[in-house]
Short mmCIF file of all heavy atoms in Angstrom, two decimals:
data_model
loop_
_atom_site.label_atom_id
_atom_site.label_comp_id
_atom_site.label_asym_id
_atom_site.label_seq_id
_atom_site.Cartn_x
_atom_site.Cartn_y
_atom_site.Cartn_z
N ALA A 180 -24.15 57.58 -53.91
CA ALA A 180 -25.50 57.80 -54.46
C ALA A 180 -25.74 59.30 -54.59
O ALA A 180 -26.24 59.78 -55.61
CB ALA A 180 -26.54 57.15 -53.57
N GLY A 181 -25.31 60.04 -53.57
CA GLY A 181 -25.45 61.50 -53.59
C GLY A 181 -24.68 62.10 -54.76
O GLY A 181 -25.21 62.93 -55.51
N LEU A 182 -23.45 61.65 -54.94
CA LEU A 182 -22.60 62.21 -56.00
C LEU A 182 -23.13 61.89 -57.39
O LEU A 182 -22.93 62.66 -58.33
CB LEU A 182 -21.16 61.68 -55.86
CG LEU A 182 -20.36 62.17 -54.66
CD1 LEU A 182 -19.01 61.48 -54.59
CD2 LEU A 182 -20.15 63.68 -54.72
N THR A 183 -23.77 60.75 -57.54
CA THR A 183 -24.26 60.40 -58.89
C THR A 183 -25.68 60.93 -59.15
O THR A 183 -26.03 61.21 -60.28
CB THR A 183 -24.24 58.87 -59.10
OG1 THR A 183 -24.80 58.24 -57.96
CG2 THR A 183 -22.86 58.35 -59.33
N PHE A 184 -26.47 61.07 -58.10
CA PHE A 184 -27.87 61.48 -58.31
C PHE A 184 -28.06 63.00 -58.31
O PHE A 184 -28.96 63.49 -58.98
CB PHE A 184 -28.78 60.85 -57.25
CG PHE A 184 -29.18 59.42 -57.59
CD1 PHE A 184 -28.31 58.36 -57.40
CD2 PHE A 184 -30.43 59.17 -58.12
CE1 PHE A 184 -28.68 57.07 -57.73
CE2 PHE A 184 -30.81 57.87 -58.45
CZ PHE A 184 -29.92 56.81 -58.26
N ILE A 185 -27.23 63.72 -57.53
CA ILE A 185 -27.46 65.18 -57.45
C ILE A 185 -26.88 65.86 -58.70
O ILE A 185 -25.72 65.65 -59.05
CB ILE A 185 -26.80 65.77 -56.17
CG1 ILE A 185 -27.44 65.13 -54.94
CG2 ILE A 185 -26.97 67.29 -56.12
CD1 ILE A 185 -26.72 65.42 -53.65
N PRO A 186 -27.70 66.68 -59.39
CA PRO A 186 -27.19 67.33 -60.62
C PRO A 186 -26.16 68.42 -60.32
O PRO A 186 -26.15 68.98 -59.23
CB PRO A 186 -28.45 67.91 -61.26
CG PRO A 186 -29.44 68.02 -60.16
CD PRO A 186 -29.09 67.00 -59.13
N LEU A 187 -25.33 68.67 -61.29
CA LEU A 187 -24.25 69.65 -61.16
C LEU A 187 -24.80 71.04 -60.86
O LEU A 187 -24.19 71.84 -60.14
CB LEU A 187 -23.45 69.66 -62.46
CG LEU A 187 -22.09 70.33 -62.49
CD1 LEU A 187 -21.14 69.67 -61.51
CD2 LEU A 187 -21.51 70.26 -63.89
N ALA A 188 -25.99 71.31 -61.40
CA ALA A 188 -26.59 72.64 -61.25
C ALA A 188 -27.00 72.94 -59.81
O ALA A 188 -27.27 74.09 -59.46
CB ALA A 188 -27.81 72.74 -62.17
N ALA A 189 -27.02 71.92 -58.97
CA ALA A 189 -27.47 72.12 -57.59
C ALA A 189 -26.59 73.11 -56.84
O ALA A 189 -27.06 73.88 -56.01
CB ALA A 189 -27.50 70.78 -56.85
N SER A 190 -25.29 73.10 -57.13
CA SER A 190 -24.36 74.02 -56.45
C SER A 190 -23.06 74.10 -57.25
O SER A 190 -22.59 73.08 -57.78
CB SER A 190 -24.08 73.51 -55.04
OG SER A 190 -22.88 74.05 -54.55
N PRO A 191 -22.45 75.30 -57.35
CA PRO A 191 -21.17 75.39 -58.07
C PRO A 191 -20.07 74.56 -57.39
O PRO A 191 -19.10 74.15 -58.01
CB PRO A 191 -20.82 76.88 -58.02
CG PRO A 191 -21.88 77.56 -57.25
CD PRO A 191 -22.92 76.60 -56.83
N PHE A 192 -20.28 74.32 -56.10
CA PHE A 192 -19.33 73.52 -55.31
C PHE A 192 -19.19 72.10 -55.87
O PHE A 192 -18.14 71.46 -55.73
CB PHE A 192 -19.84 73.50 -53.86
CG PHE A 192 -19.01 72.68 -52.94
CD1 PHE A 192 -17.72 73.09 -52.58
CD2 PHE A 192 -19.49 71.51 -52.40
CE1 PHE A 192 -16.95 72.33 -51.73
CE2 PHE A 192 -18.73 70.73 -51.55
CZ PHE A 192 -17.45 71.14 -51.21
N MET A 193 -20.25 71.64 -56.56
CA MET A 193 -20.26 70.27 -57.09
C MET A 193 -19.14 70.03 -58.12
O MET A 193 -18.73 68.90 -58.33
CB MET A 193 -21.61 69.95 -57.75
CG MET A 193 -22.82 70.08 -56.84
SD MET A 193 -22.83 68.88 -55.52
CE MET A 193 -23.48 67.46 -56.33
N TYR A 194 -18.66 71.12 -58.74
CA TYR A 194 -17.58 70.98 -59.72
C TYR A 194 -16.32 70.40 -59.09
O TYR A 194 -15.51 69.77 -59.74
CB TYR A 194 -17.23 72.34 -60.35
CG TYR A 194 -18.17 72.77 -61.44
CD1 TYR A 194 -19.23 73.63 -61.18
CD2 TYR A 194 -17.97 72.32 -62.75
CE1 TYR A 194 -20.08 74.02 -62.19
CE2 TYR A 194 -18.83 72.71 -63.77
CZ TYR A 194 -19.89 73.57 -63.48
OH TYR A 194 -20.74 73.95 -64.48
N PHE A 195 -16.15 70.68 -57.80
CA PHE A 195 -14.93 70.25 -57.12
C PHE A 195 -15.02 68.81 -56.62
O PHE A 195 -14.02 68.23 -56.23
CB PHE A 195 -14.63 71.19 -55.93
CG PHE A 195 -14.37 72.60 -56.37
CD1 PHE A 195 -15.35 73.59 -56.20
CD2 PHE A 195 -13.17 72.94 -56.98
CE1 PHE A 195 -15.12 74.88 -56.61
CE2 PHE A 195 -12.94 74.24 -57.40
CZ PHE A 195 -13.91 75.22 -57.22
N LEU A 196 -16.22 68.27 -56.60
CA LEU A 196 -16.38 66.90 -56.10
C LEU A 196 -15.99 65.90 -57.20
O LEU A 196 -16.05 66.23 -58.38
CB LEU A 196 -17.83 66.67 -55.65
CG LEU A 196 -18.26 67.51 -54.45
CD1 LEU A 196 -19.73 67.28 -54.13
CD2 LEU A 196 -17.41 67.20 -53.22
N PRO A 197 -15.60 64.71 -56.80
CA PRO A 197 -15.14 63.77 -57.82
C PRO A 197 -16.26 63.28 -58.72
O PRO A 197 -17.38 63.06 -58.24
CB PRO A 197 -14.57 62.61 -56.98
CG PRO A 197 -15.23 62.71 -55.65
CD PRO A 197 -15.50 64.16 -55.43
N PHE A 198 -15.98 63.13 -59.96
CA PHE A 198 -16.78 62.56 -61.05
C PHE A 198 -18.22 63.10 -61.21
O PHE A 198 -18.94 62.65 -62.07
CB PHE A 198 -16.79 61.01 -61.00
CG PHE A 198 -17.41 60.38 -59.78
CD1 PHE A 198 -18.77 60.19 -59.70
CD2 PHE A 198 -16.60 59.96 -58.72
CE1 PHE A 198 -19.34 59.61 -58.60
CE2 PHE A 198 -17.17 59.37 -57.61
CZ PHE A 198 -18.55 59.20 -57.54
N VAL A 199 -18.64 64.11 -60.44
CA VAL A 199 -20.01 64.65 -60.58
C VAL A 199 -20.18 65.26 -61.97
O VAL A 199 -21.19 65.02 -62.65
CB VAL A 199 -20.29 65.70 -59.48
CG1 VAL A 199 -21.65 66.36 -59.70
CG2 VAL A 199 -20.23 65.05 -58.12
N ILE A 200 -19.16 66.02 -62.37
CA ILE A 200 -19.25 66.68 -63.68
C ILE A 200 -19.33 65.64 -64.80
O ILE A 200 -20.07 65.81 -65.78
CB ILE A 200 -18.09 67.69 -63.88
CG1 ILE A 200 -18.28 68.41 -65.22
CG2 ILE A 200 -16.72 67.07 -63.77
CD1 ILE A 200 -17.39 69.60 -65.42
N GLY A 201 -18.59 64.57 -64.67
CA GLY A 201 -18.59 63.50 -65.69
C GLY A 201 -19.98 62.89 -65.83
O GLY A 201 -20.49 62.73 -66.95
N VAL A 202 -20.59 62.56 -64.71
CA VAL A 202 -21.93 61.96 -64.73
C VAL A 202 -22.92 62.95 -65.35
O VAL A 202 -23.80 62.58 -66.14
CB VAL A 202 -22.38 61.55 -63.31
CG1 VAL A 202 -23.78 60.93 -63.32
CG2 VAL A 202 -21.38 60.57 -62.69
N ASP A 203 -22.75 64.24 -65.01
CA ASP A 203 -23.65 65.27 -65.54
C ASP A 203 -23.54 65.38 -67.06
O ASP A 203 -24.55 65.50 -67.77
CB ASP A 203 -23.32 66.62 -64.88
CG ASP A 203 -24.51 67.55 -64.88
OD1 ASP A 203 -25.47 67.25 -64.13
OD2 ASP A 203 -24.49 68.53 -65.64
N LEU A 204 -22.30 65.30 -67.56
CA LEU A 204 -22.09 65.39 -69.01
C LEU A 204 -22.68 64.17 -69.73
O LEU A 204 -23.26 64.30 -70.81
CB LEU A 204 -20.59 65.54 -69.33
CG LEU A 204 -19.93 66.85 -68.89
CD1 LEU A 204 -18.44 66.84 -69.20
CD2 LEU A 204 -20.59 68.05 -69.57
N VAL A 205 -22.53 63.01 -69.10
CA VAL A 205 -23.10 61.80 -69.70
C VAL A 205 -24.63 61.93 -69.76
O VAL A 205 -25.27 61.54 -70.74
CB VAL A 205 -22.67 60.52 -68.92
CG1 VAL A 205 -23.41 59.31 -69.42
CG2 VAL A 205 -21.17 60.30 -69.08
N ARG A 206 -25.20 62.51 -68.70
CA ARG A 206 -26.65 62.73 -68.70
C ARG A 206 -27.05 63.65 -69.86
O ARG A 206 -28.06 63.43 -70.54
CB ARG A 206 -27.10 63.35 -67.36
CG ARG A 206 -27.38 62.32 -66.28
CD ARG A 206 -28.17 62.94 -65.14
NE ARG A 206 -27.40 63.97 -64.47
CZ ARG A 206 -26.78 63.82 -63.29
NH1 ARG A 206 -26.86 62.66 -62.66
NH2 ARG A 206 -26.11 64.80 -62.73
N ASP A 207 -26.21 64.70 -70.07
CA ASP A 207 -26.50 65.64 -71.17
C ASP A 207 -26.54 64.90 -72.51
O ASP A 207 -27.34 65.22 -73.39
CB ASP A 207 -25.43 66.74 -71.25
CG ASP A 207 -25.58 67.74 -70.11
OD1 ASP A 207 -26.64 67.71 -69.44
OD2 ASP A 207 -24.63 68.51 -69.86
N ILE A 208 -25.63 63.92 -72.65
CA ILE A 208 -25.57 63.19 -73.92
C ILE A 208 -26.71 62.18 -74.02
O ILE A 208 -27.45 62.14 -75.01
CB ILE A 208 -24.20 62.47 -74.07
CG1 ILE A 208 -23.07 63.49 -74.16
CG2 ILE A 208 -24.19 61.56 -75.29
CD1 ILE A 208 -21.68 62.91 -74.00
N MET A 209 -26.86 61.37 -72.96
CA MET A 209 -27.82 60.26 -73.03
C MET A 209 -29.27 60.72 -72.92
O MET A 209 -30.17 60.13 -73.52
CB MET A 209 -27.51 59.21 -71.96
CG MET A 209 -26.19 58.49 -72.23
SD MET A 209 -25.78 57.28 -70.97
CE MET A 209 -26.74 55.89 -71.53
N ILE A 210 -29.51 61.76 -72.14
CA ILE A 210 -30.90 62.22 -71.98
C ILE A 210 -31.16 63.44 -72.88
O ILE A 210 -32.17 63.51 -73.58
CB ILE A 210 -31.21 62.55 -70.51
CG1 ILE A 210 -30.99 61.31 -69.64
CG2 ILE A 210 -32.65 63.05 -70.34
CD1 ILE A 210 -31.03 61.55 -68.14
N GLY A 211 -30.19 64.38 -72.85
CA GLY A 211 -30.39 65.62 -73.60
C GLY A 211 -30.04 65.50 -75.08
O GLY A 211 -30.28 66.44 -75.84
N GLY A 212 -29.41 64.39 -75.48
CA GLY A 212 -29.08 64.18 -76.89
C GLY A 212 -27.94 65.05 -77.38
O GLY A 212 -27.78 65.25 -78.59
N GLN A 213 -27.12 65.60 -76.47
CA GLN A 213 -26.00 66.46 -76.91
C GLN A 213 -24.83 65.62 -77.45
O GLN A 213 -24.76 64.42 -77.20
CB GLN A 213 -25.53 67.31 -75.73
CG GLN A 213 -26.55 68.35 -75.32
CD GLN A 213 -25.95 69.36 -74.35
OE1 GLN A 213 -24.77 69.33 -74.04
NE2 GLN A 213 -26.78 70.27 -73.88
N THR A 214 -23.93 66.32 -78.16
CA THR A 214 -22.70 65.66 -78.63
C THR A 214 -21.51 66.36 -77.97
O THR A 214 -21.69 67.38 -77.29
CB THR A 214 -22.55 65.78 -80.16
OG1 THR A 214 -22.49 67.18 -80.47
CG2 THR A 214 -23.71 65.14 -80.89
N LEU A 215 -20.30 65.86 -78.21
CA LEU A 215 -19.10 66.49 -77.64
C LEU A 215 -18.97 67.94 -78.09
O LEU A 215 -18.58 68.81 -77.32
CB LEU A 215 -17.85 65.72 -78.08
CG LEU A 215 -17.43 64.50 -77.26
CD1 LEU A 215 -16.11 63.95 -77.79
CD2 LEU A 215 -17.29 64.81 -75.77
N ILE A 216 -19.36 68.20 -79.35
CA ILE A 216 -19.26 69.57 -79.90
C ILE A 216 -20.23 70.49 -79.16
O ILE A 216 -19.89 71.61 -78.80
CB ILE A 216 -19.52 69.57 -81.43
CG1 ILE A 216 -18.42 68.74 -82.09
CG2 ILE A 216 -19.55 70.99 -82.01
CD1 ILE A 216 -18.73 68.27 -83.49
#
Side-chain angles (χ1 to χ4, degrees):
Chain A
L182 290 175
T183 46
F184 277 78
I185 299 169
L187 195 61
S190 159
F192 178 69
M193 302 294 278
Y194 280 97
F195 298 104
L196 295 176
F198 62 84
V199 175
I200 183 168
V202 180
D203 205 69
L204 293 177
V205 172
R206 274 195 296 257
D207 287 347
I208 296 167
M209 292 179 82
I210 301 170
Q213 291 192 3
T214 61
L215 275 184
I216 297 162

